[in-house]
Amino acid sequence: MNTLKQKAQEAEEKEQVFMEKVRKEEERRTKEMEDLKIRHAEERRKEAEGKKPQHETDRENIQQAMMSHSSMLQLQAKPPDE
């Protein structure tokens, strides 16, 4: 009977050790996830700071298209060299 109680107590102690290990692992994972979220938010913020606003990019593209079109019109308006 004594060994049965002893084995039950050992099993309970092992379970407590295991549960403590699981709890610590969960806390570590939670902290890692929070750190990862913070790091990703900082990366997205830095990327957003580095990007030009869309309207500026569109304006530049339109200006380039207009210059290209003007150049093509000038080439077409010139008489061919003979």
Side-chain angles (χ1 to χ4, degrees):
M1 191 66 123
N2 233 0
T3 57
L4 192 57
K5 286 183 180 180
Q6 185 179 1
K7 288 193 183 235
Q9 185 177 359
E10 287 174 4
E12 189 175 317
E13 289 171 0
K14 285 182 180 179
E15 181 183 11
Q16 287 176 354
V17 168
F18 175 76
M19 294 305 287
E20 181 66 20
K21 185 177 178 181
V22 168
R23 185 187 63 78
K24 286 181 179 179
E25 186 69 20
E26 285 296 318
E27 287 175 358
R28 184 186 62 80
R29 286 183 183 159
T30 301
K31 184 177 180 337
E32 284 179 0
M33 287 300 294
E34 289 172 1
D35 292 344
L36 189 61
K37 286 178 184 179
I38 290 169
R39 188 169 54 229
H40 283 178
E42 288 174 2
E43 287 175 4
R44 285 192 302 273
R45 182 184 51 81
K46 286 180 183 177
E47 286 176 5
E49 287 175 357
K51 287 184 180 178
K52 291 182 182 178
Q54 185 64 39
H55 70 277
E56 282 186 32
T57 305
D58 291 345
R59 182 176 49 82
E60 289 174 0
N61 289 340
I62 290 171
Q63 286 177 337
Q64 289 175 353
M66 288 177 59
M67 288 190 308
S68 176
H69 183 67
S70 296
S71 297
M72 289 299 295
L73 289 176
Q74 288 176 356
L75 287 174
Q76 289 175 356
K78 284 186 180 178
D81 291 338
E82 289 187 30

